[in-house]
Amino acid sequence: METNTAGIQIKTERRWLADAVELLSSMRFAISLLALIAIASTIGTVLKQNEPMPNYVNQFGPFWFDIFAKLGLYAVYSAWWFLLIMTFLVLSTSLCLIRNAPKMLKDMRSWRDNVREQSLRNFHHKADWHMAGSRIVSANQISTHIARLGYKFKVSEKDGATLISAKQGAANKWGYIFAHSAIVIICIGGMLDSDLSIRMQQWFMGKVAFDGSGIIANIPQQHRLSLSNPTFRGNTMIPEGATSSTAIIPQPKGVLIQDLPFTIKLNKFIIDYYSTGMPKLFASEVMVKDHETGKTFSATIKVNEPLIYKGVAVYQSSFEDGGSRLSMTAFPMTGAQSTSFALAGEVGSSTPLKSAASDDYTIEWSGFRPFNVENMKAGQDLRAVNTNTSFNQQLSLDLDKHTGSAAKNANSKDLKNVGPSVQYKLRDKNGQAREFHNYMQPMKLDGATMFLAGTRDNPNEQFRYLRIPADDDDTIIEWMRLRAALVNPAWREIAAQRYVKHALPESSEQMQKQLQEQLRLSALKGLAIFAGDTKDGKNPATGFVAISRFLEQIPAAEQGKAADVFMKILNGSMWDLWQVSREQAGLPVLELTEKRARFMQLSINALSDSFFYGAPVYLQLSGFEEVKASVLQVTRSPGKNVVYLGCLFLVIGVFSMFYIRERRLWIWLKDSESGENTTKALMALSSQRKTLDFEKEFEQLKNQLAHLSPQSGSASTPGQVP
C-alpha cells in the first residue's frame, strides 16, 4: 500500500508539472503576456518616464502620485512587474520552442511515406487516372515532371505498388522557429540594455541616487557607477571650451554618475538655421582623450552620426545654453519711480535684486534663446487666449524648447524669427518663485507693436503674456512713465484739473464752477479706482476689475450708460496724465493723433493687466554674449546587436510563414487489373493553408500528370473516384 501511495503521489506531481509546462508554453498564455506588455508600453509612452518626482506630484496630486509610484508607472520598463512579465514571456516562448521545434525539424526531414492507398483516397484533393506503360516508366515520367516543378521526391515500393512521396516548401516551418526565437532574442537583448544592471547594483552593492548639488568630481563613490557597468544610458552637457568625463543617469529620486573611459572636450558647437530661423543642423566638434592610453583624437558628432569608442556610443542629442552672459535693463513695476537701472546675469546662476522695492528677491536665470520662430501670419495670433476677464490678453501656446511656439504648427512662409528671449525665476525671501519669459524685441500683433512679458506661477502652466505697447521710438519707456504717473496722487490731481479744462473750456460762460468741480472729482476718482488707490481701503482691486466692481454698485438699468461715461472720462484723464509725466521729465507735450490715441488705449489695457504681473520689476534684455552647450547622450548597449539579430530572425520568420507554402504530394502507382501494359495512378495533394492558389495549383498539377502519356485515361475531380 505504501508503494502504491508513493507511486500515485509521484504521478500526481508529474501531472501538475506537465500541466504547468502546458500552460506556460501555450499560445493563449503568450498572447496574454504580449497584451500586458502592449498595455504597459502604452502607459510608458503616454506618461513621461524617469522625470523628477516633484513633476509628478504637481501633475497628479499627492493621492494619485502615491498610487502611481507604488505601481512603478514612473519607470515602467524597469518596474519589477514589467521585468517579471518579460521573464515569463521568454520562458513561455522558450518552452514552446523546446516542445515543438524538434517535432517540426523531424517532420521537415520526414517523407511521410507510411501512407496506404485507402488513406490517399480519403484526401479531399485527390485524382486518379490510367497511364500507358509500366509502373517503372510511369514513375520515371512523373518523377521527372514534379522535379521540374520544384518538388523533392522519394520513390518506394509498397505492397506491390510504387509510392512517390514529394514535398515542397518544407522550410515553412523554419518561419515558426525563427519567429519564436526572435521573440526570445529581442527580449533578452532588451533586458541587456535595460537598467536591470543598475538596479542590481542598487540592491546588492549599495549604490544610491544623489539628490543634492555640488561639483561632480566631489560626489562620493556610492553615487557613482564604475567603468565595468555593462549597460547605461545617460546625458552630459558640455559648454564650449569645457570638458566632461561623466554621464548623468536620471533616477526617480536623484541621479547616478557614470564614469566614462575617456574625456570629451567641446571645442565648438555648430548650429545652422533655415531662413525662417529654425535649426537645420547642429553638431559638436570635440576632442577625446583616452584615460588608459592618453591617446587624443578629434571627432565631429552630428545627429544620426554618433562617435563610437570603446563600446560607448556618443550621440548628438540636443543643445542648451552654456552660461550666456546677459545685460538687462530693470524697470520698476511698483511705486511712483520710473527710473530704470542696469543689471547683469549669467544663465544657470542667480543674481540678488537690489532696488528700493525689491531687496528681498533673487533672480535665477534659467534660460536664454537667441532665436524664437513664431507664426506671424497676418490676422492670426496663435498666443491670444480668452479668459474669464475680457481685460487680460494672454499667451497660451507652450513654446517649443528651442525653435519657438509656432515652428511645428504653421506654414513655413508664415514663420518668422522674432528675436531673442530670456527666461528667469524671481524668488522671494520665503522661497516662493514665479517664472518669467520676456522677449527682447517688440513684435507686430493685431496691427500694433508690442513687447511681450510672460509670467506663470507653476512650471506645468503655460505662460500668460502681458502686452506692453511700444512708443514712437519702439521702446517701453513711455509706458513705464505712464505707469509710474498713475500711482502718483499729486500727478493724478494735476491731470484731473487739466482734463476739466479740456472737457469744459473756460471760454464757455454757461458752465458753472460746481459742474467743473464735479467733473474734476469724477476724473480724479476714476484714476484712483483704476490705480487701486481708494481712501477707505475696501476695494483692493485694480484696473478694469476695480471699475467693474464700482459699476456693480449702480442700478443695472443705468450701468451701460454709466460705463460709457466712466470710460470716456478715464481715457481723457489718462491722456492728460501721460502729458503731465512728460512735463515732469522735461519733455514737450505731444499732440493727439490717431496713432497716439491707439497707443493710449493699448497702454490702458496693459496697465490693467500689469497689476497681475506679480513682479516688482520688469527685466528687458538689452544685450547678450551667447555661450552654447552641447547635450550628448552617452550609451553602452551590449544588447543592441542582439536585438538586431532578433529583428533579422523575425523578418525571416514572418517571410517564411507568410510566403512559403508547404505542399505534400503522394502518387500511388500500381499495375492495371486489365493486364494491359498500363498503370493506374492515384494522386493526393495537401497543404497547411487551403487558398484559391492551392485549388488552382491542384487542378494544374492534376491535368499535367494526367496528360503525360498520349494514351492516358480520364482523371477524376477532387472528391470523385471513377
Side-chain angles (χ1 to χ4, degrees), residues 373-378 380-383 405-407 409-411 413-416 418 445:
V373 180
E374 305 292 347
N375 182 10
M376 305 306 293
K377 183 178 180 180
Q380 179 178 359
D381 180 10
L382 295 180
R383 308 177 210 223
S405 62
N409 301 329
N411 194 323
K413 66 180 181 180
D414 300 322
L415 298 179
K416 182 180 179 181
V418 296
L445 296 174

Side-chain angles (χ1 to χ4, degrees), residues 66 87 115 258 263-264 293 309 327 351 363 374 378 380 461 489 555 563 653:
D66 290 336
T87 302
V115 298
Q258 173 64 59
T263 296
I264 304 174
T293 63
Y309 184 65
S327 298
T351 303
I363 306 172
E374 305 292 347
Q380 179 178 359
E461 296 177 354

Side-chain angles (χ1 to χ4, degrees), residues 183-382:
I183 295 176
V184 176
I185 293 172
I186 290 174
C187 289
I188 293 175
M191 295 177 72
L192 287 176
D193 281 352
S194 69
D195 64 349
L196 185 59
S197 63
I198 296 177
R199 289 294 186 94
M200 298 291 286
Q201 294 180 64
Q202 291 177 319
W203 293 336
F204 303 110
M205 299 177 63
K207 299 297 183 180
V208 293
F210 179 72
D211 59 355
S213 60
I215 301 175
I216 292 180
N218 297 334
I219 295 178
Q221 285 298 320
Q222 65 264 29
H223 308 301
R224 309 179 78 96
L225 302 176
S226 67
L227 298 177
S228 60
N229 186 23
T231 176
F232 58 83
R233 185 181 301 272
N235 295 306
T236 181
M237 188 181 78
I238 312 175
E240 287 181 326
T243 61
S244 175
S245 59
T246 58
I248 307 299
I249 302 176
Q251 296 293 297
K253 296 182 180 180
V255 297
L256 288 170
I257 310 300
Q258 173 64 59
D259 291 321
L260 302 177
F262 48 79
T263 296
I264 304 174
K265 179 181 179 181
L266 180 63
N267 292 330
K268 184 179 181 182
F269 182 76
I270 304 171
I271 182 168
D272 193 10
Y273 295 90
Y274 291 104
S275 58
T276 59
M278 295 177 60
K280 67 176 180 180
L281 169 69
F282 48 97
S284 301
E285 293 184 354
V286 299
M287 181 68 69
V288 180
K289 181 179 180 180
D290 191 313
H291 294 168
E292 183 178 1
T293 63
K295 172 187 174 183
T296 61
F297 61 92
S298 59
T300 300
I301 305 173
K302 300 180 181 179
V303 178
N304 298 325
E305 296 182 18
L307 165 67
I308 300 177
Y309 184 65
K310 286 198 167 182
V312 178
V314 183
Y315 296 87
Q316 181 66 63
S317 175
S318 182
F319 57 93
E320 295 287 349
D321 191 282
S324 295
R325 289 171 281 276
L326 309 174
S327 298
M328 310 294 296
T329 302
F331 293 90
M333 291 291 284
T334 58
Q337 294 294 326
S338 63
T339 305
S340 62
F341 58 93
L343 199 66
E346 183 176 311
V347 175
S349 63
S350 60
T351 303
L353 182 58
K354 299 294 183 181
S355 68
S358 55
D359 290 337
D360 296 327
Y361 284 89
T362 301
I363 306 172
E364 299 174 359
W365 308 101
S366 55
F368 166 75
R369 287 203 302 265
F371 292 91
N372 288 273
V373 180
E374 305 292 347
N375 182 10
M376 305 306 293
K377 183 178 180 180
Q380 179 178 359
D381 180 10
L382 295 180

Side-chain angles (χ1 to χ4, degrees), residues 335-639:
Q337 294 294 326
S338 63
T339 305
S340 62
F341 58 93
L343 199 66
E346 183 176 311
V347 175
S349 63
S350 60
T351 303
L353 182 58
K354 299 294 183 181
S355 68
S358 55
D359 290 337
D360 296 327
Y361 284 89
T362 301
I363 306 172
E364 299 174 359
W365 308 101
S366 55
F368 166 75
R369 287 203 302 265
F371 292 91
N372 288 273
V373 180
E374 305 292 347
N375 182 10
M376 305 306 293
K377 183 178 180 180
Q380 179 178 359
D381 180 10
L382 295 180
R383 308 177 210 223
V385 179
N386 293 324
T387 62
N388 294 331
T389 61
S390 59
F391 312 111
N392 282 341
Q393 298 176 329
Q394 303 172 344
L395 282 167
S396 72
L397 195 58
D398 184 14
L399 298 181
D400 184 82
K401 192 173 184 181
H402 296 294
T403 59
S405 62
K408 299 178 181 177
N409 301 329
N411 194 323
S412 60
K413 66 180 181 180
D414 300 322
L415 298 179
K416 182 180 179 181
N417 175 25
V418 296
S421 66
V422 62
Q423 192 167 327
Y424 59 91
K425 291 181 180 179
L426 202 58
R427 193 175 300 275
D428 61 19
K429 61 181 179 180
N430 298 321
Q432 298 297 317
R434 192 178 180 93
E435 196 168 9
F436 299 88
H437 179 220
N438 298 340
Y439 287 85
M440 180 179 183
Q441 301 172 354
M443 60 186 73
K444 204 80 169 180
L445 296 174
D446 297 332
T449 305
M450 302 280 195
F451 286 93
L452 297 182
T455 178
R456 65 182 179 187
D457 300 318
N458 192 300
N460 294 325
E461 296 177 354
Q462 297 172 337
F463 280 105
R464 304 179 302 276
Y465 282 80
L466 170 66
R467 301 183 180 189
I468 303 176
D471 53 30
D472 292 342
D473 297 326
D474 285 336
T475 70
I476 206 171
I477 296 176
E478 291 298 330
W479 185 85
M480 287 294 177
R481 184 177 288 121
L482 179 60
R483 184 215 60 77
L486 181 63
V487 296
N488 190 322
W491 291 8
R492 291 202 303 263
E493 176 68 35
I494 299 174
Q497 294 175 1
R498 291 191 179 184
Y499 173 70
V500 172
K501 293 180 181 180
H502 295 154
L504 301 174
E506 295 180 357
S507 59
S508 176
E509 300 178 356
Q510 300 171 345
M511 297 298 174
Q512 301 176 2
K513 292 184 178 180
Q514 183 178 2
L515 183 59
Q516 294 177 350
E517 180 64 13
Q518 290 177 350
L519 186 59
R520 185 189 68 82
L521 292 176
S522 297
L524 189 60
K525 185 175 182 180
L527 291 173
I529 291 174
F530 189 80
D533 184 8
T534 55
K535 294 181 180 180
D536 54 12
K538 295 182 179 180
N539 187 9
T542 56
F544 292 132
V545 175
I547 294 175
S548 177
R549 292 182 181 179
F550 173 77
L551 293 175
E552 290 175 355
Q553 304 173 12
I554 302 175
E558 301 178 7
Q559 285 183 6
K561 181 178 180 181
D564 292 339
V565 174
F566 194 102
M567 291 305 300
K568 183 177 181 180
I569 294 175
L570 178 65
N571 291 335
S573 56
M574 286 291 288
W575 170 266
D576 287 305
L577 182 62
W578 182 23
Q579 305 313 308
V580 170
S581 68
R582 288 182 58 83
E583 286 183 351
Q584 296 295 327
L587 299 174
V589 175
L590 300 175
E591 294 183 3
L592 181 61
T593 63
E594 183 178 353
K595 180 180 179 181
R596 289 169 182 160
R598 170 70 168 163
F599 170 80
M600 178 54 59
Q601 184 60 55
L602 295 174
S603 296
I604 294 174
N605 295 340
L607 285 171
S608 177
D609 291 344
S610 68
F611 297 113
F612 304 97
Y613 188 59
V617 294
Y618 164 77
L619 301 182
Q620 185 180 31
L621 183 64
S622 56
F624 60 87
E625 182 182 346
E626 184 184 9
V627 178
K628 305 185 188 74
S630 178
V631 179
L632 303 175
Q633 185 182 81
V634 186
T635 66
R636 177 180 283 161
S637 51

Side-chain angles (χ1 to χ4, degrees), residues 23-91:
L23 175 63
L24 287 175
S25 59
S26 64
M27 179 178 292
R28 64 180 182 276
F29 186 75
I31 292 176
S32 300
L33 293 176
L34 288 173
L36 292 176
I37 291 175
I39 295 173
S41 300
T42 302
I43 296 174
T45 302
V46 175
L47 181 62
K48 289 184 178 181
Q49 300 291 289
N50 298 313
E51 291 283 307
M53 287 302 170
N55 292 4
Y56 296 119
V57 177
N58 294 333
Q59 184 175 359
F60 301 115
F63 177 77
W64 288 109
F65 167 79
D66 290 336
I67 294 178
F68 291 163
K70 291 178 181 178
L71 294 175
L73 299 186
Y74 306 135
V76 169
Y77 304 113
S78 59
W80 65 267
W81 53 266
F82 184 83
L83 296 176
L84 186 63
I85 293 174
M86 294 287 288
T87 302
F88 272 109
L89 181 61
V90 172
L91 179 61

Side-chain angles (χ1 to χ4, degrees), residues 102-119:
K103 300 177 183 178
M104 291 184 173
L105 294 174
K106 182 179 179 181
D107 185 66
M108 289 170 58
R109 294 191 297 267
S110 173
W111 292 99
R112 300 184 187 178
D113 55 355
N114 56 347
V115 298
R116 294 293 183 267
E117 179 180 5
Q118 186 57 42
S119 62

